[in-house]
Amino acid sequence: MKKTIRDYDLNGKRVIIRCDYNVPMDNGIILDDTRVRASIRTISYALNNGAKVILLSHLGRVKESKDKDCNSLYPVAELLSNLLKRKILFSPSTRGKELTEMVNNLKTGDILLIENTRFEDIDGNKESNCDEELSKYWASLGDIFINDAYASCHRNHASVTGIPKYLPSGIGFLVEREIKKIDNVLMSNTHPFITVLGGKKIDDKLGLIESLVKISDKLLIGGAMSFTFLKVLGYDINDDLVSMDNLINCKKVLDDYKDKIVLPLDFVCEDGNKELDELNKNDKGMDIGPKTIRLFRKELKDAKRVILNGPMGIFEDKRYAKGTRKIFNILGEYKIKTVIGGGDSASAVNKLGYDGMFYHVSTGGGATMKYLEERKLEGIEVIDDAKKQN
Ligand code: ADP
Ligand code: 3PG
Ligand code: MG
């Protein structure tokens, strides 16, 4: 059991909350505010309990000075101010005298958002390499560290795993909720338990496939993820999204779990629906076809638990969104306890209008994939155990 924010007396304390404000941004406009909204509960709790709140987050990847221009967290300060209906102090620097002074002047009820932690990557990758001196410096700004950056919990970075080495630490409400919900579906004993995978990152997700196929009753594979498996089976699939490096690994998974794996029977291509035998090298399967949808429905209708990662097709294009939409409908129609993980999968939920329909839509991409695969995350492991003394 990890300590949570509830385990600490926050009154008068400087509480550093690591959030994940890595939001899609276009010219300073936040395109999706889900992660900012998801951070409000922990911040409000800290404020209601008399804390001085210091917020840290990364945004994007910052490797050289010019990357700073489009990766400032300032728009997040404005959004937070609207959501919380109070002033948010903002520190444009990530270290130094001015920041230290701002922190020293904080009063109970103040909120200070510090600029993008990855600005520290420009000079020696200090944030991303979990630099000890930087971790200690940030830790020196607070009395308690709360990790609520669920989507960053797979990163061994100074602001995630560095600071809690030097401060009493706990998890926030978002991290607690994510783990509770995912565990609830992953670990419960009800069956059939079905995993649905799609998307296109087979090279990144082979470990995930190997881990989930073991515990699932069935593994349904759609999207471009299925192409490498179909290639192994000898179908004349377009090679663009086939992972030549993973043919052998996919063959092994197919051999070991042939009774569990369910692959598409047909695809929607640019010139219409095609069954596997009708495909030729030029056909790109943009979405799963109607026969596949029927097959997946048959497999899913009795499911008690589902984990879904990866869309069934190129859902961003209306012509190829039907497969993903139909699978979402089936999960809703049969009221199946479903966890959806993955950045694009979560955005498919929003874009196709399924917000609020599922048991849990994770705010994590890589973090959720890693948790599903390994059942632990660095950013949580490093947090104080509840049985230890402060
Ligand atoms: P997630 O972010 O949910 O983990 P991925 O990043 O693995 O998912 O994959 C998402 C992307 O996969 C989407 O942008 C989608 O357009 C693409 N995709 C899904 N199916 C296909 C397909 N059949 N052909 C090409 N791209 C696909
Ligand atoms: C995410 O969006 O998955 C997290 O914020 C982590 O971002 P990163 O992949 O840049 O570390
Ligand atoms: Mg993705």
Side-chain angles (χ1 to χ4, degrees), residues 112-160:
L112 167 66
L113 173 64
I114 297 177
E115 183 56 284
N116 188 352
T117 53
R118 287 193 183 162
F119 282 17
E120 290 287 341
D121 279 346
I122 289 171
D123 178 20
N125 255 350
K126 293 197 169 70
E127 156 75 328
S128 293
N129 284 344
C130 200
D131 179 77
E132 191 181 320
E133 183 259 335
L134 178 62
S135 306
K136 278 187 183 161
Y137 169 67
W138 279 337
S140 77
L141 302 177
D143 302 303
I144 295 165
F145 174 77
I146 298 298
N147 182 353
D148 212 24
Y150 170 72
S152 300
C153 281
H154 60 317
R155 298 292 184 217
N156 192 10
H157 294 176
S159 65
V160 181

Side-chain angles (χ1 to χ4, degrees), residues 65-124:
S65 278
K66 69 172 174 43
D67 299 334
K68 282 178 156 186
D69 302 341
C70 51
N71 283 307
S72 171
L73 276 178
Y74 188 72
V76 173
E78 291 180 314
L79 174 58
L80 278 171
S81 176
N82 287 337
L83 292 172
L84 288 159
K85 304 213 176 353
R86 54 164 89 208
K87 187 173 164 200
I88 306 290
L89 300 164
F90 182 74
S91 165
S93 28
T94 46
R95 67 161 92 203
K97 205 164 136 252
E98 276 171 35
L99 169 59
T100 311
E101 259 169 31
M102 279 181 104
V103 169
N104 288 342
N105 290 332
L106 286 177
K107 293 182 288 298
T108 290
D110 282 348
I111 308 172
L112 167 66
L113 173 64
I114 297 177
E115 183 56 284
N116 188 352
T117 53
R118 287 193 183 162
F119 282 17
E120 290 287 341
D121 279 346
I122 289 171
D123 178 20

